[in-house]
Amino acid sequence: MASKGVSLKVKGKSSASKSKGSSSSSSSDEKSMCKALKDWSNWGLKKAKVIAHYGFIPLVIIIGMNSEPKPSLSQLLSPV
């Protein structure tokens, strides 16, 4: 499946509708800050997805090992 070129647009006022007193450098600073925020949030969500994916089953096994009555590892992993 071919992916389409999707770009995320920044919501809010455009630089044309800002007051005359604001400079273009502040607009570029806002854009770079918004891009940095998107990059960091993307990075964090990707890491959280990997942690949740590979950490769920070991977490269940650890919780099962610490419950009463204490089962052996083979009892935890067997389907019966």
Side-chain angles (χ1 to χ4, degrees):
M1 181 182 207
S3 63
K4 296 180 181 179
V6 177
S7 65
L8 299 175
K9 296 183 180 179
V10 179
K11 292 184 177 180
K13 296 181 179 179
S14 66
S15 61
S17 64
K18 288 186 179 179
S19 66
K20 293 180 182 178
S22 65
S23 65
S24 65
S25 65
S26 66
S27 176
S28 65
D29 289 344
E30 289 176 7
K31 287 181 182 178
S32 64
M33 182 180 251
C34 187
K35 174 141 175 52
L37 181 63
K38 284 183 197 174
D39 291 342
W40 276 101
S41 62
N42 251 353
W43 179 83
L45 288 174
K46 285 180 183 179
K47 295 298 179 187
K49 180 181 175 183
V50 170
I51 290 169
H53 182 80
Y54 290 108
F56 182 73
I57 298 297
L59 177 68
V60 170
I61 292 173
I62 290 170
I63 290 172
M65 292 289 284
N66 292 330
S67 65
E68 290 292 331
K70 295 226 181 254
S72 66
L73 186 61
S74 62
Q75 288 174 331
L76 276 176
L77 297 177
S78 68
V80 178

